[in-house]
Amino acid sequence: MTKAIFIILDGLGDRPCKEFRGKTPLEAASTPNMDSLVKEGVCGMQSPLSLGFTLESGPAHFEIFGYTPFKKFYPGRGIIEALGTGAKLREKDIAFRVNFATVKNGKIKDRRAGRIKSVKSFEKPLSMKLKGIEFILKSGTEHRAALIMRGSNLSDKLSNSDPHKIGVAPKKVKALGKEAEFETEILNEYIKKVHQILNKHRINKTRKRKKLPEANYILLRGAGKFKEVQSFKEKYRLKGCCIAGTGLYKGFGKFIDMKLINVKGATGGKTTNVKAKFMAAKRALKRYDFVWVHVKATDLYGHDGDPVGKKNFIEKVDEALEVLKKVKALKVITGDHSTPCSLKEHSGDDVPILFNGKGVRVDDCVKFGERECSEGGLQRIYGKNIIPEILNLIGKQDIIE
Ligand code: ZN
Ligand code: ZN
């Protein structure tokens, strides 16, 4: 066994739910395929950073893939999201995550412009050079986009303009350091200009006529500065690929120079085609040593406080796992953090993890879940232990001399 398939179910971990008489969604779910992997595998609990620390998905993935401490490597969400849109970044580029929003009479009416289907048509009119800074707008899915700033000596010490609220005015971007003052002025001028251009754009005229929220404003957050890191292949000498539906994870795959495999129907949403992703993973194993599959919706149900939805989605994932049943590769399943439905946000609780494949020290666990995995043979491990253990089990770990 020389290959591995690594499945991350985002925000998988949870806390006891009253809907399931104290069981978690994963414990309450009927998961025959995961359970059979558990029966012939070894389980444990995994903390992405350290027990009790709550992480966003970005930093959690840096820890899990061994780019640790994440503070040293994480370039900020804007950069990762920009890479996820397919943008090609240069050293020292600045990037923001962008939401197209609806602003009326100076106040935010909708932070997602009615979840407009695409903002691709805005790329061209909103990409321009202003006072020595090049602004490049790249569209993502629905209302999402990235804004790249290119120029000399730009700083990423820039605040968010997105207040994360409706009914209030968008904030101005503020310089968080003296070195960012000059560019901040130009950036705010750009944002104002964008508002004018968008108000006159034919798409918004049509949306206005149809009484749909106009996508007439850009809200920025997560400024970061691009710098290259050692690629996944160089770091682990594994040929890796990434199968993900959401921009952030595709962007992370790109950041560590993994091959991105696009799958039709992999939306990153609740209706995503998990089976198609697993089938693509099976095919990818022919060409890659390490296939990473990311599934987002478990986290979305957690944020929505919907334990039944989370349980049902986990069951859908389990059904789809059938296609990987006969695949001869090390299989690892975990989450990047917990997103308890009772909190509707991430928590510092650890997450179940399972390893299944030749050579693992099979333990007594029989069901994939928080309680059961706490009794598992791996006990408690950290995010940064996962890839080394994968290397160990597929026989590709170096001996330390
Ligand atoms: Zn996450
Ligand atoms: Zn989340």
Side-chain angles (χ1 to χ4, degrees), residues 267-280:
T267 58
K270 292 175 177 175
T271 56
T272 191
N273 191 343
V274 192
K275 194 172 167 189
K277 284 168 110 168
F278 290 162
M279 276 172 16

Side-chain angles (χ1 to χ4, degrees), residues 9-15 17 25 54-58 77 112 115 164 221 246 248-249 268 270 294-311 336-347:
L9 305 176
D10 206 290
L12 175 68
D14 213 296
R15 290 183 179 179
C17 299
T54 305
L55 267 59
E56 278 296 351
S57 295
R77 181 159 178 179
R112 299 179 183 90
R115 287 196 183 269
H164 278 271
R221 60 188 152 112
T246 321
L248 182 70
Y249 310 95
K270 292 175 177 175
H294 182 271
V295 180
K296 183 67 184 167
T298 23
D299 178 59
L300 303 179
Y301 285 108
H303 284 291
D304 290 347
D306 179 1
V308 175
K310 193 168 176 179
K311 170 191 155 278
D336 56 340
H337 50 78
S338 293
T339 311
C341 295
S342 55
L343 297 181
K344 298 187 182 180
E345 54 187 301
H346 301 182
S347 73

Side-chain angles (χ1 to χ4, degrees), residues 23-63:
K23 283 187 178 174
T24 67
L26 178 59
E27 287 169 347
S30 160
T31 53
N33 284 319
M34 290 182 204
D35 298 349
S36 83
L37 293 176
V38 164
K39 277 175 206 150
E40 285 160 38
V42 64
C43 294
M45 293 302 280
Q46 179 258 121
S47 273
L49 177 66
S50 190
L51 189 66
F53 287 92
T54 305
L55 267 59
E56 278 296 351
S57 295
H61 276 73
F62 275 72
E63 287 295 326

